[in-house]
Amino acid sequence: MRIYGKLYINGQWVTPNGTDTNEVVSPSTLKAVARVPYGNATDVDTAVKAARGAFASWSATSSAQRAKYLEAIAQEMQKRIPDFEATMVEELGMPIALADDWQISGPIAACRDYARRSAFMDKTEEVGNVLIVKEPVGVCAFINPWNYPLHQMIGKMAPALAAGCTMVVKASSQTPSHAFILAEVIDAVGLPAGVFNLVHGSGRVMGESMCSHPEVDMVSFTGSTSAGIKIAEAAAPTVKRVCQELGGKSPYIITADADLQKAVVYGVEDVMVNTGQTCTALTRMLVPRSRYEEAVQIAKVHAESLVVGDPLDKASYMGPMSSQSQRETVLDYINKGVAEGARLVTGGTDLPAGIESGAYVRPTIFADVNNQMSIAQEEIFGPVMTMIPYDTLDEAITIANDTIYGLSSGVYAKDKAAAVAIARRIRAGQCYTNGGGFSYQAPFGGYKQSGNGREWGDEGMGEFMETKSILM
Ligand code: NAD
């Protein structure tokens, strides 16, 4: 069992002012696997003041110095891969065979990428009598969810460090340990005191005091749309910049002339990986009516072939949900889908065959779904895919865009040109065409109620910059 008793503030491990603790239960064994401290608003205040104190000197470092620190952080993270991996398996339930690839190595590479991008801050532009320069936005508060915890942490921390910002970070209570390991990494590389501060505690208490603190200049939040709204409200009275990466209910259009087998298999795996707990999951598969039953059969066969089991078993493709309460939420949606009249093709509310306890859910496919059903409109955040028939491409695009969300989307068409033409008509921040994979070079973020920011790439760095005009 991992036990942490202190928070990392101003370059030191300190006993928190808050006295509660957070016991983390493995969703697979239902046994405690970690204990970390819960701080309170006083701890947030101490951490924010440390970040404020460090800002003047950190923001004045050269981009080359900041790049060196980011490179050193990436190197130190590399040494800690086994520790990060253990937290993903034990706290999140991510299968060991996928944990490194999906949760750890990408963020380390991205950290290196931002070392290179720190030189961005040196770029200036002269227009007439104006010199335009970039400056760091200031003290940042980062609040993260549990589904890709290290990825989300690095997506904020690395560009912010590259830009010259200082920060106070908080992880989710379901997956806190990676953040404590990251603080050990930061300590090991000797990042100047106060640049990175780790607090921990409930979203309501710690999150709200981070968002309302007058010395915080910017909040970057990843999580549910409902919490994102509360965060924006808490940040509004002090007019902070708020970057929100929120929920999704992403459409996936398969055209009549696409390779149906490849297209459906890609869609099923996209939804089921990380047990359906992916904000970009392509959970609404739109299939031409002429090929609908064929697609339903392919989806059923493939979903039933996916191995669900102990995340420590190398054969598992899907582990448990992240918690029992997340499992309950998903089962409620499966019952709702049946009650709404959708056809349960495979899956359902029983535990997967051979599993007797733990927060497991079977890969579930619903057919005969119409886009007005709650299983097509609401983010389930579990291994549940809905299949919606369409008659014309225009109708498919209308259905795709008929959602409050706009985080991601997918298209599988005959060729690249056809796929890109459809992608341009979908109102979402990303579109995965013909089986394309995630890229850390691709700006990532939502339209509509999926958020208002961009992470990764140059745009991700832009979130942490102010633009100044010097008139001569
Ligand atoms: P959540 O909104 O419940 O919690 C996210 C974080 O916010 C946690 O650290 C929590 O403690 C904190 N929090 C909760 N209420 C708060 C409040 N009132 N003030 C301040 N902080 C508060 O989300 P979750 O269940 O951890 O994660 C799942 C959600 O995250 C899904 O909706 C998913 O789509 C979304 N998500 C979005 C992205 C993206 O990049 N767009 C990525 C991953 C997850």
Side-chain angles (χ1 to χ4, degrees):
M1 176 145 157
R2 275 179 300 279
I3 299 180
Y4 286 97
K6 295 185 173 178
L7 301 175
Y8 188 74
I9 297 176
N10 210 15
Q12 289 182 330
W13 287 100
V14 297
T15 302
N17 190 270
T19 52
D20 285 346
T21 54
N22 167 202
E23 190 140 289
V24 185
V25 171
S26 152
S28 157
T29 62
L30 306 182
K31 295 199 174 108
V33 285
R35 191 181 313 130
V36 298
Y38 253 21
N40 61 20
T42 304
D43 296 306
V44 170
D45 186 53
T46 311
V48 172
K49 284 181 176 149
R52 174 57 63 199
F55 179 67
S57 56
W58 179 248
S59 59
T61 52
S62 70
S63 57
Q65 276 175 300
R66 295 195 300 278
K68 263 193 195 153
Y69 278 115
L70 278 160
E71 193 54 53
I73 290 168
Q75 220 161 326
E76 192 64 25
M77 284 175 75
Q78 195 95 34
K79 293 187 204 155
R80 303 295 302 268
I81 287 177
D83 298 322
F84 284 125
E85 202 171 42
T87 72
M88 301 303 157
V89 173
E90 292 170 11
E91 298 178 15
L92 172 61
M94 184 86 190
I96 185 111
L98 305 179
D100 185 10
D101 255 16
W102 282 78
Q103 300 273 3
I104 302 160
S105 286
I108 295 175
C111 200
R112 293 216 158 88
D113 189 46
Y114 277 112
R116 178 177 63 80
R117 285 179 209 266
S118 62
F120 237 61
M121 299 303 288
D122 304 333
K123 281 191 187 154
T124 59
E125 193 189 346
E126 275 197 58
V127 184
N129 69 327
V130 187
L131 174 67
I132 303 168
V133 299
K134 297 291 180 195
E135 294 185 352
V137 72
V139 173
C140 303
F142 299 153
I143 301 175
N144 276 324
W146 42 259
N147 61 333
Y148 290 90
L150 188 63
H151 162 99
Q152 282 131 3
M153 188 68 88
I154 298 300
K156 298 170 171 45
M157 185 195 89
L161 286 178
C165 295
T166 60
M167 61 210 69
V168 178
V169 312
K170 185 191 98 58
S172 161
S173 300
Q174 181 56 42
T175 54
S177 295
H178 72 283
F180 287 78
I181 296 170
L182 189 62
E184 289 172 347
V185 165
I186 298 284
D187 196 51
V189 305
L191 194 71
V195 174
F196 172 98
N197 303 276
L198 170 72
V199 296
H200 188 64
S202 85
R204 203 177 38 79
V205 176
M206 301 298 273
E208 287 215 22
S209 48
M210 288 164 80
C211 299
S212 58
H213 199 294
E215 288 289 348
V216 169
D217 299 299
M218 169 180 176
V219 178
S220 181
F221 171 76
T222 301
S224 60
T225 297
S226 56
I229 292 167
K230 289 199 184 108
I231 275 161
E233 284 169 354
T238 41
V239 197
K240 298 183 195 321
R241 182 180 296 186
V242 181
C243 173
Q244 292 165 308
E245 301 286 347
L246 310 176
K249 190 76 193 178
S250 300
Y252 174 38
I253 299 177
I254 298 175
T255 60
D257 51 8
D259 180 329
L260 198 64
Q261 176 73 29
K262 277 193 188 152
V264 173
V265 164
Y266 170 82
V268 170
E269 290 185 359
D270 179 84
V271 172
M272 302 306 167
V273 76
N274 206 21
T275 323
Q277 302 162 123
T278 303
C279 51
T280 53
L282 303 173
T283 48
R284 291 184 295 139
M285 183 182 281
L286 306 179
V287 184
R289 206 176 291 281
S290 58
R291 306 198 69 185
Y292 189 71
E293 279 312 321
E294 200 188 335
V296 169
Q297 277 316 305
I298 297 170
K300 174 178 158 60
V301 170
H302 197 65
E304 289 174 358
S305 76
L306 298 174
V307 180
V308 185
D310 183 347
L312 280 168
D313 183 343
K314 286 200 171 132
S316 298
Y317 182 77
M318 284 170 58
M321 307 296 309
S322 64
S323 64
Q324 283 286 45
S325 75
Q326 190 64 20
R327 175 173 189 266
E328 294 307 318
T329 305
V330 174
L331 297 190
D332 283 351
Y333 271 110
I334 294 176
N335 285 325
K336 223 184 250 184
V338 172
E340 284 177 318
R343 169 165 45 121
L344 185 62
V345 175
T346 187
T349 54
D350 294 338
L351 281 167
I355 294 177
E356 278 160 20
S357 68
Y360 291 89
V361 175
R362 298 166 65 193
T364 296
I365 311 267
F366 278 111
D368 303 342
V369 176
N370 77 57
N371 201 48
Q372 304 320 312
M373 292 178 181
S374 59
I375 56 167
Q377 284 294 321
E378 295 170 25
E379 186 183 44
I380 299 175
F381 225 51
V384 181
M385 191 177 94
T386 62
M387 299 184 74
I388 305 173
Y390 71 84
D391 290 309
T392 64
L393 193 55
D394 282 347
E395 185 196 1
I397 288 163
T398 303
I399 296 171
N401 288 329
D402 181 14
T403 166
I404 59 166
Y405 296 112
L407 185 59
S408 185
S409 58
V411 174
Y412 216 112
K414 186 165 167 253
D415 55 36
K416 185 173 157 187
V420 170
I422 298 169
R424 295 296 302 263
R425 297 177 66 189
I426 302 177
R427 300 282 300 161
Q430 288 203 328
C431 187
Y432 291 83
T433 63
N434 293 355
F438 181 84
S439 166
Y440 279 99
Q441 306 299 315
F444 176 97
Y447 286 21
K448 302 192 266 181
Q449 292 188 31
S450 288
N452 56 15
R454 288 295 176 270
E455 290 188 334
W456 309 115
D458 290 348
E459 279 79 359
M461 181 124 179
E463 296 287 337
F464 297 97
M465 296 176 186
E466 290 282 17
T467 301
K468 178 179 280 177
S469 294
I470 301 173
L471 296 107
M472 297 172 289

